[in-house]
Amino acid sequence: MRSCRDITGLMSQGLDKKLSLGERLAIGLHVMMCSGCRNFQSQSQFIRIAAHCYTEQLQKRLDEKS
Ligand SMILES: [Zn+2]
């Protein structure tokens, strides 16, 4: 079981890079049991969605170039 610090760290990393399946599973399992990290996750939901949209736009631009 990973610590809350690990999990919130992974969530933050997920804003910048794609997490592995194992990392995403660790987050999913942890937030099922930990309300503190669940709160952290919902608070960063907006940022995550915004970051996801930004990444998609960036990817589209890269795809157009190649
Ligand atoms: Zn936690």
Side-chain angles (χ1 to χ4, degrees), residues 13-30:
Q13 278 177 47
L15 301 177
D16 303 321
K17 62 159 192 160
K18 207 172 185 298
L19 298 176
S20 71
L21 184 65
E23 288 169 330
R24 280 182 286 143
L25 270 175
I27 293 173
L29 279 173
H30 187 97

Side-chain angles (χ1 to χ4, degrees), residues 4 30 34 37:
C4 292
H30 187 97
C34 177
C37 289

Side-chain angles (χ1 to χ4, degrees), residues 1-5 7-8 30-31 33-38:
M1 174 91 178
R2 290 179 190 241
S3 70
C4 292
R5 215 177 139 163
I7 294 303
T8 51
H30 187 97
V31 296
M33 294 177 281
C34 177
S35 60
C37 289
R38 200 153 53 228

Side-chain angles (χ1 to χ4, degrees), residues 23-66:
E23 288 169 330
R24 280 182 286 143
L25 270 175
I27 293 173
L29 279 173
H30 187 97
V31 296
M32 274 198 287
M33 294 177 281
C34 177
S35 60
C37 289
R38 200 153 53 228
N39 285 339
F40 179 89
Q41 192 180 40
S42 60
Q43 275 164 22
S44 59
Q45 198 90 19
F46 172 75
I47 300 166
R48 287 200 303 143
I49 291 165
H52 180 75
C53 289
Y54 175 75
T55 311
E56 269 188 353
Q57 292 296 319
L58 205 68
Q59 192 62 51
K60 265 182 207 161
R61 229 171 291 165
L62 288 172
D63 286 346
E64 280 163 15
K65 268 185 194 168
S66 58

